[in-house]
């Protein structure tokens, strides 16, 4: 990284399709984070992803089953 260049921070937020997860994703976006937003079904993230994009955030929607260690590893790999 060169002088004056700052690294972008990335956060992975589970349960981001609604409620507390969506609120956490929005707060992190306001603080300048790139986001990987997760829910069990990808289509449930459409509203959250659209709202984040409208606010100028970069967000990647990911389907994630937290009961699957392999799925968690894939989500982290996609987030960074």
């Amino acid at each position: 990284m060169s002088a004056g260049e700052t690294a972008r921070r990335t956060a992975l937020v589970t349960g981001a399709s609604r409620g507390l997860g969506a609120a956490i994703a929005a707060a992190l976006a306001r603080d300048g984070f790139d986001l990987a937003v997760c829910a069990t079904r990808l289509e449930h993230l459409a509203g959250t992803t659209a709202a984040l994009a409208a606010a100028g955030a970069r967000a990647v929607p990911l389907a994630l089953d937290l009961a699957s260690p392999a799925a968690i590893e894939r989500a982290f790999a996609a987030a960074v």
Side-chain angles (χ1 to χ4, degrees), residues 17 39-48 61-63:
S17 62
T40 54
R41 296 182 56 146
L42 197 57
E43 61 269 20
H44 292 170
L45 291 165
T48 299
L62 301 169

Side-chain angles (χ1 to χ4, degrees), residues 13-52:
V13 181
T14 61
S17 62
R18 61 191 170 99
L20 189 56
I24 290 169
L28 289 167
R30 282 191 301 276
D31 285 343
F33 279 80
D34 290 337
L35 298 158
V37 290
C38 305
T40 54
R41 296 182 56 146
L42 197 57
E43 61 269 20
H44 292 170
L45 291 165
T48 299
T49 304
L52 292 169

